[in-house]
Amino acid sequence: MERNVETSRPILVDDPWPVVERFLDEPASWLPGPAHELAGGRFRSTIRLGRVTHAVVADVGDARSLAEGWVREVGWTPASGRGTHVRQTRYLPGFDGEVVLRNPDPDTLELEIVGHYQPPFGVVGALVDVIGMHRAAEVTVDELAEDIVARLEALSRARVPASR
């Protein structure tokens, strides 16, 4: 049984274009970190639920244009290990979805995350999900959005040009 989650946050910056450049070109700079590139659009990153953090192997797709912004497919699988030496684990749910950077006008940016997860462990996992895991998943996606927005805002303040 797949469960949907979504959230959005404004990105408060004076100049949106350094943020857009990073979003389009460098996932390791905006994924919660420190993020390490593994290979072929895969990254070792972290997600959090309050004070608890967990390593994930994140797959980040190429950016695609939308009418008012850009979208990247993002999925993760919980992992164990450190640095670039991680192995996937199925004790926690993975996630499949999209990270959307909306630019409805020249001075406004918004980050949106939409997607779904499948509770692990079949019927037992679905019951645990109903009891409380879904709320934890919503909080995790909210905190992921907060972490990405904070990193993008910091990149904008640093005004470091994106490498090409």
Side-chain angles (χ1 to χ4, degrees), residues 98-120:
E98 297 177 333
V99 177
V100 181
L101 186 63
R102 295 200 189 283
N103 184 221
D105 63 63
D107 299 322
T108 305
L109 282 177
E110 181 179 82
L111 184 88
E112 179 181 22
I113 300 175
V114 295
H116 61 273
Y117 68 96
Q118 177 107 15

Side-chain angles (χ1 to χ4, degrees), residues 111-164:
L111 184 88
E112 179 181 22
I113 300 175
V114 295
H116 61 273
Y117 68 96
Q118 177 107 15
F121 306 118
V123 174
V124 172
L127 179 61
V128 171
D129 187 69
V130 169
I131 293 170
M133 188 187 312
H134 185 70
R135 180 65 189 131
E138 291 174 328
V139 170
T140 298
V141 171
D142 284 343
E143 291 180 344
L144 175 63
E146 288 175 12
D147 292 346
I148 292 173
V149 166
R151 289 182 63 100
L152 288 171
E153 288 175 348
L155 288 167
S156 177
R157 284 191 301 276
R159 296 190 183 272
V160 176
S163 63
R164 293 249 177 210

Side-chain angles (χ1 to χ4, degrees), residues 67-81:
E68 291 185 340
W70 304 267
V71 62
R72 295 188 86 138
E73 290 183 17
V74 175
W76 74 68
T77 303
S80 60

